[in-house]
Amino acid sequence: MKKANIIKHSWGAGVLCALVLASCAGGNPDAVCLIPKPAEMQMHGGFFKADSSMILAPDGEKVRYVVDSALAGVGDEGYRLTVDGDGIELKAATEAGVFYGKQTLLQMLGNEGIPCVEIEDSPRFGYRGLHLDVSRHIFSKEEIMKLIDVMSSYKFNRLHLHLTDAGGWRLKMDKYPRLTSHGAFRTESDWRKWWDGNDRKYLPEGTEGAYGGYYTKDDMRQIVAYAADRFVTIIPEVEFPGHSEEVFAAYPELCCSGKPYTGGDFCIGNPKSYEFMENVLTEIMEVFPSELIHIGGDEAGKQNWKTCPKCQALMRKEGMKSVEELQSHFIHKVEEFVNSKGRRIIGWDEILEGGLAPRASVMSWRGEEAGFKSAAMGHDVVMTPGGYMYLDFYQAFPNTQPYAIGGYTPVKKVYSYNPLPDDSLTADREKHILGVQANTWTEYIKDEKHLEYMMFPRALAVAEIGWTPQSLRDWNDFKVRLNRHVETLHRRGVNAFPLSYEIDFSMEVDTVARQITVAFDAEKYPAEIRYTTDGTVPDASSPVYDKPVVVKDSAHIVAGIFVDGKLMGDVSEKKVDYHRGINKPIHYNSELYPGYMAGGMNALLDGYRGGLTYADQRWQGYLDNLDCVVDMGEQTEIHKVSSRWMQLIGPGVYQPEYVELYVSDNGDDFELCGKIDTDIKQDDSQLKFQEYAFSGNWKGRYVRIKAKNPKGFIFVDEIVIW
Ligand code: ACM
Ligand code: ZN
């Protein structure tokens, strides 16, 4: 074997990069299309003739696997790999390292064998996880094993199973058999009918037509062993003290009212709740060897605690001032118990409220703040912020997708996530960020095909976030490899989303040059993007996108991907205006909702238009009506004023009943110029946008927009004034 001559981070080098792109895009496609990208890699040209049986065999003359606990520089999970024309040498300090090296080899294996290469690789984070909710919908043991198989190919090492929730209790317990005989089946599979439709009733096991199921401990032990063989730890989650409606269908005495169907929270004042917790967790720890035991902690309603005599008595006894302290009291008890068995708890970030248990680890899901705060307090953290890491969110334009819970996390957004941004954390805090996890909640995911469609290929972006040094992560490079791996996943029988033909537009507003530059991107690679700027649908003779489009006034960009002269999928559109209202002062007569300020007071007049989600920091939301006045600075001829609004009734976002335009010379006396009613029905459950555009010839200094909120939220962006 030649001596390794590793060039640090050599993927960035021009020659190698060209080679990688070329081989990923055509030729021998699988040769170096690695996900996650290794930390250090150098190609040497040529191949070692090998097949998968050679790689999977324990050891051989030409294929040498060496576990050497003294091997330095690759950590617990890393490996050093040398492939030349004569053979393969793979060294690691652990069996896990050898396993990951083999995954790299398997990904590199092409028709000609394995390319000659030297790799020194180890993960950025020790925790690289996926989460699966098996409560809202249950998935077969075989599907979970298939998932573990695929995960391990991409070097994930944690699978967090959400085993209990209102959807059903999913693991048979010896001490509490009614959890599965009376809490694992329900009247309906379809969450929209069962939960959203307020049925929410459970049925005894064996009832004809009931939906549900559970795993036996034997099933689960098989899953745990299967995962362990692939260096994946199963982290079990049992929800306390909220999200437990199914428990009270089986054991109503554990909730405050003592009656089923009266809430989802355990009674914190009832000693039986603690007895249940200890008994259940004892059985859980017998099945799952994981050091971390997930105890839920999210979204307890806490309402019943305020009036429950037992909960109130406990608060008085302990001198507690808030129900948050009740939750914290319970979680502390859970932690004491779990610690007494030599394990540790991890919980959703609500466990910070009312006082964090001393040794608890935190899963930061409502953003990143709770995670950074916990790390600063010396607690271990797994980052799983909803805006990036929720794979139950839409991954493409919602109206083209199966119904989902909302949100918008296309793979590019997922990939953009960095658990350790900039230098915001000091090294001693950084070490508490264990890693990253993506969550797949399954309210609206009812079968295995749909599950795979939501998880993949987005999970591959998560794999690379967890493993690859941040300095090597680059979307343009990743998407080339991603496109190849979608094909690989399909060949493996994984129903991955085939990536979208949509165009992603990013805008750059330049207030000095008074222009807006629009760059186009697509998940698909290669992508021949053709476009127009006049609102017409592009065809095979329209210009091909090759550099960002500069807009000095107005453009209605319409773009699509063409293959062999044919438009693929739907076109994407973006209206762009460097309009006269940009950066003009705005005054609000109505109340802005603090949570949806869209990054500032001038968000409606910044030239940036909101995208597909109201959470993109562009849309401004109001629980009030909107009444705002734009000061144009001087008497101005006004010809066109428009505003664009969103409707998404799931989370309570509605079109305004109507929008009115007024103009004034002095800011006191306003003349009504027009009123436009919505033409979108309030019960339309699709994502809908409406632009309310007024045209005419008016003169004035002040432009006023009023919009009537029918109920819930209204969301607007942008106000365009010409
Ligand atoms: C969560 O999404 N409720 C953790
Ligand atoms: Zn109570």
Side-chain angles (χ1 to χ4, degrees), residues 304-579:
N304 294 343
W305 301 345
K306 292 177 183 164
T307 52
C308 165
K310 293 194 193 87
C311 288
Q312 287 300 310
L314 179 63
M315 282 183 74
R316 275 193 303 277
K317 178 166 163 253
E318 300 284 334
M320 296 176 192
K321 295 190 177 46
S322 70
V323 286
E324 281 69 33
E325 289 175 73
L326 266 184
Q327 153 139 339
S328 171
H329 175 84
F330 190 78
I331 300 291
H332 274 70
K333 294 289 179 197
V334 180
E335 170 163 88
E336 274 171 33
F337 181 71
V338 170
N339 287 173
S340 77
K341 304 290 175 195
R343 312 287 186 94
R344 296 191 298 133
I345 65 163
I346 184 165
W348 301 111
D349 59 51
E350 287 91 333
I351 66 172
L352 275 165
E353 293 161 7
L356 187 53
R359 298 181 57 207
S361 301
V362 173
M363 256 183 199
S364 191
W365 74 277
R366 296 177 301 175
E368 298 166 87
E369 271 317 301
F372 295 143
K373 188 172 162 196
S374 305
M377 289 158 60
H379 292 260
D380 286 345
V381 172
V382 174
M383 297 304 276
T384 178
Y388 298 90
M389 289 292 125
Y390 271 40
L391 304 186
D392 54 336
F393 285 8
Y394 285 105
Q395 56 192 324
F397 186 56
N399 297 355
T400 66
Q401 295 298 304
Y403 188 84
I405 200 160
Y408 184 60
T409 51
V411 62
K412 183 177 179 178
K413 176 90 190 278
V414 174
Y415 191 75
S416 73
Y417 182 58
N418 177 6
L420 297 174
D422 317 321
D423 302 319
S424 59
L425 296 177
T426 56
D428 62 324
R429 292 177 191 183
E430 253 186 30
K431 72 170 194 274
H432 288 296
I433 308 283
L434 302 181
V436 66
Q437 175 175 292
N439 300 334
T440 310
W441 302 98
T442 60
E443 285 91 337
Y444 305 103
I445 301 176
K446 57 184 185 302
D447 62 30
E448 300 177 346
K449 277 200 146 10
H450 189 187
L451 176 67
E452 293 170 9
Y453 179 92
M454 298 304 278
M455 276 190 159
F456 297 101
R458 285 184 287 185
L460 275 52
V462 183
E464 188 146 307
I465 295 169
W467 185 280
T468 303
Q470 182 66 14
S471 59
L472 294 189
R473 294 214 299 119
D474 174 70
W475 161 250
N476 285 316
D477 172 68
F478 176 71
K479 81 172 175 187
V480 179
R481 291 177 282 127
L482 179 67
N483 274 266
R484 301 308 303 196
H485 277 265
V486 168
E487 292 170 19
T488 310
L489 288 167
H490 288 165
R491 278 200 300 276
R492 273 180 94 157
V494 177
N495 185 41
F497 175 57
L499 298 172
S500 158
Y501 283 105
E502 284 161 26
I503 308 301
D504 169 50
F505 300 103
S506 53
M507 304 169 66
E508 200 62 53
V509 178
D510 182 340
T511 52
V512 177
R514 303 179 66 81
Q515 65 188 29
I516 298 175
T517 305
V518 187
F520 303 6
D521 189 22
E523 297 176 348
K524 288 277 189 188
Y525 179 89
E528 178 189 305
I529 303 173
R530 293 181 182 271
Y531 70 102
T532 66
T533 54
D534 62 1
T536 59
V537 174
D539 61 27
S541 65
S542 302
V544 174
Y545 175 81
D546 58 357
K547 62 174 187 304
V549 173
V550 176
V551 178
K552 289 208 170 268
D553 40 35
S554 286
H556 181 170
I557 297 171
V558 185
I561 294 178
F562 285 75
V563 174
D564 297 332
K566 259 186 54 198
L567 175 66
M568 308 301 289
D570 296 330
V571 291
S572 305
E573 300 184 48
K574 189 84 186 172
K575 284 190 175 173
V576 186
D577 291 272
Y578 197 96
H579 59 92

Side-chain angles (χ1 to χ4, degrees), residues 50-361:
D51 56 29
S52 59
S53 61
M54 247 164 137
I55 297 169
L56 293 170
D59 222 353
E61 205 179 303
K62 296 194 164 188
V63 181
R64 298 210 309 126
Y65 297 133
V66 182
V67 177
D68 171 6
S69 59
L71 186 72
V74 294
D76 285 348
E77 295 181 294
Y79 61 93
R80 190 170 292 151
L81 174 65
T82 308
V83 181
D84 63 21
D86 299 328
I88 297 170
E89 185 182 74
L90 172 59
K91 280 187 172 174
T94 61
E95 294 285 356
V98 169
F99 179 83
Y100 292 130
K102 283 189 192 179
Q103 302 317 305
T104 299
L105 284 168
L106 288 169
Q107 284 195 15
M108 286 198 296
L109 182 65
N111 296 337
E112 295 172 85
I114 298 183
C116 296
V117 70
E118 287 174 62
I119 294 178
E120 180 153 332
D121 199 11
S122 58
R124 183 180 182 202
F125 293 108
Y127 188 117
R128 305 177 301 280
L130 293 182
H131 146 291
L132 173 61
D133 169 7
V134 293
S135 172
R136 274 53 172 269
H137 280 97
I138 185 165
F139 297 90
S140 69
K141 184 174 74 180
E142 291 72 24
E143 178 65 15
I144 296 177
M145 289 175 170
K146 179 179 177 186
L147 175 62
I148 291 165
D149 247 342
V150 178
M151 285 174 70
S152 65
S153 304
Y154 292 98
K155 303 185 173 78
F156 280 103
N157 63 0
R158 299 286 190 283
L159 175 60
H160 164 180
L161 288 181
H162 187 74
L163 291 167
T164 74
D165 209 306
W169 184 282
R170 298 292 175 223
L171 184 61
K172 193 162 162 52
M173 296 275 120
D174 296 335
K175 276 224 166 97
Y176 297 91
R178 286 176 62 88
L179 288 170
T180 43
S181 67
H182 289 75
F185 295 86
R186 60 187 201 230
T187 48
E188 253 298 333
S189 167
D190 185 334
W191 196 259
R192 282 203 268 184
K193 290 188 189 147
W194 186 72
W195 184 264
D196 301 342
N198 264 320
D199 175 28
R200 305 188 184 185
K201 291 290 188 298
Y202 302 90
L203 293 171
E205 181 177 10
T207 307
E208 202 184 324
Y211 169 79
Y214 55 83
Y215 310 100
T216 63
K217 286 186 181 172
D218 190 46
D219 289 331
M220 206 40 85
R221 286 197 173 100
Q222 287 175 37
I223 291 172
V224 167
Y226 190 86
D229 284 346
R230 289 155 184 78
F231 299 91
V232 173
T233 301
I234 306 285
I235 297 183
E237 178 182 355
V238 179
E239 277 274 17
F240 296 107
H243 276 282
S244 296
E245 285 84 348
E246 87 289 19
V247 174
F248 313 129
Y251 297 97
E253 63 273 25
L254 297 174
C255 68
C256 290
S257 71
K259 299 191 187 77
Y261 306 117
T262 56
D265 299 341
F266 280 85
C267 178
I268 307 294
N270 184 349
K272 281 193 167 156
S273 296
Y274 300 80
E275 188 185 312
F276 175 90
M277 175 271 288
E278 293 191 2
N279 286 332
V280 161
L281 289 179
T282 298
E283 292 191 38
I284 288 283
M285 287 187 275
E286 281 165 13
V287 175
F288 298 93
S290 168
E291 190 196 359
L292 284 178
I293 302 294
H294 202 300
I295 51 77
D298 59 322
E299 299 181 314
K302 307 186 186 83
Q303 282 309 315
N304 294 343
W305 301 345
K306 292 177 183 164
T307 52
C308 165
K310 293 194 193 87
C311 288
Q312 287 300 310
L314 179 63
M315 282 183 74
R316 275 193 303 277
K317 178 166 163 253
E318 300 284 334
M320 296 176 192
K321 295 190 177 46
S322 70
V323 286
E324 281 69 33
E325 289 175 73
L326 266 184
Q327 153 139 339
S328 171
H329 175 84
F330 190 78
I331 300 291
H332 274 70
K333 294 289 179 197
V334 180
E335 170 163 88
E336 274 171 33
F337 181 71
V338 170
N339 287 173
S340 77
K341 304 290 175 195
R343 312 287 186 94
R344 296 191 298 133
I345 65 163
I346 184 165
W348 301 111
D349 59 51
E350 287 91 333
I351 66 172
L352 275 165
E353 293 161 7
L356 187 53
R359 298 181 57 207
S361 301

Side-chain angles (χ1 to χ4, degrees), residues 569-642:
D570 296 330
V571 291
S572 305
E573 300 184 48
K574 189 84 186 172
K575 284 190 175 173
V576 186
D577 291 272
Y578 197 96
H579 59 92
R580 290 193 292 161
I582 284 184
N583 278 345
K584 293 286 190 294
I586 184 166
H587 171 80
Y588 292 89
N589 295 317
S590 56
E591 206 179 322
L592 283 156
Y593 184 75
Y596 292 107
M597 295 280 286
M601 295 297 277
N602 87 327
L604 298 183
L605 297 167
D606 63 1
Y608 291 102
R609 273 187 165 86
L612 291 181
T613 168
Y614 57 82
D616 68 0
Q617 297 294 316
R618 300 253 184 266
W619 292 91
Q620 234 174 38
Y622 317 89
L623 278 170
D624 196 357
N625 299 320
L626 170 68
D627 180 354
C628 67
V629 180
V630 179
D631 180 356
M632 299 301 285
E634 59 187 359
Q635 284 289 104
T636 305
E637 295 204 1
I638 312 276
H639 302 293
K640 196 171 167 210
V641 178
S642 66

